[in-house]
Structures are given as C-alpha cells and as structure tokens.
Amino acid sequence: MADKMTPEQRHRCMSRIRGKNTKPELIVRKYLFGLGYRYRLNQKKLPGSPDLVLRKYRTVIFINGCFWHAHEGCRYHTIPKSNVEFWTAKFARNRQRDEEDYQALHRLGWNVVVIWECQLKPKAREHTLACLDYILNKVFLENHSSGNRQTCQITVKDSR
C-alpha cells in the first residue's frame, strides 16, 4: 500500500518527532521532582544518554516510546506497512543498541529502570509512577547495604 502523504509531507511529520522533553518524559520528571527526587537530564557521558540520571541512587531511567523502541506485545508498536524490511531492521537495531547500553551501564555500576510510553497512559500512570517510587526507594536501601545492580522493567497488569 502506498503512503498517503507526499515525501515532503512525510519528511515534515517525521522531522517534528522529538527525542527530548517528550510528554511521557515530562510526566515522570514532574512526578519525581514533586516527591523530592533530583536528577540530571540526558547525560551524554553515560552509554545511551539516559533520559534521567539519579546519581544519589546510582540509577538511570529510560523512558522509551513503544513505537521507536519496539515494545514487544504492545498495541502501540506496529510495523509500518510500507518498507517493512527497513522498519524491521531499524527496530531490531534499536532494541540491540538499547540492550547494549543497559549492559554497559550495569558494568559501570548503574541500576537501569525502563519505563514504556504505554505505561504512562492515564489508566496505568498512577500505578507505574508508584512502582517507580518504590523501585527508587528499594534501590537506595540496597545500595547502602550491598553492591547489587539490576535492570528494572516496570510491569503493569492490564485491567481489561
């Protein structure tokens, strides 16, 4: 099926997609700041340039878009019908790069938290943010008692 937009229109749409200060990222930032957490944004010195870096907690947070980071099993991740081979390869590269970044951060002694865009939709948002607060408190206590590092994926049960 052909694209319904001209190449110029498609270029204009795609060029407007942001990588920083996205709505999901702002939701998490506002929540954490309101609870008293302090963080740095997009630290380029760390692998993957995490969205949020909480040095006190030795934790980085990635807020991934379901489409661009190929959230498996998510209804918001679909492969476009045109140029399927390109998109499939792109999503595979993105997932591989993400995993390499997470592993590199682990080797540097960082805890990694991944939050998916769909987990910040209104129905799941409150639960997701409460889980994030719980994880950060747990990580803080663990960091002050042992050297365990782990990747945390927030899992939200669908109420449907």
Side-chain angles (χ1 to χ4, degrees), residues 13-68:
C13 275
M14 297 302 278
S15 69
R16 300 277 187 286
I17 297 171
R18 300 178 299 170
K20 296 179 185 175
N21 300 320
T22 62
K23 186 175 179 180
E25 187 178 328
L26 294 175
I27 290 169
V28 173
R29 285 167 40 186
K30 183 176 180 180
Y31 178 78
L32 290 177
F33 194 86
L35 290 178
Y37 291 100
R38 297 302 178 252
Y39 46 80
R40 296 282 177 240
L41 303 175
N42 306 101
Q43 292 288 294
K44 299 212 182 299
K45 292 180 181 180
L46 292 174
S49 186
D51 297 309
L52 302 172
V53 178
L54 293 93
R55 290 181 59 201
K56 178 178 179 180
Y57 300 85
R58 199 84 179 132
T59 299
V60 298
I61 301 173
F62 289 92
I63 302 159
N64 289 346
C66 296
F67 177 76
W68 293 108

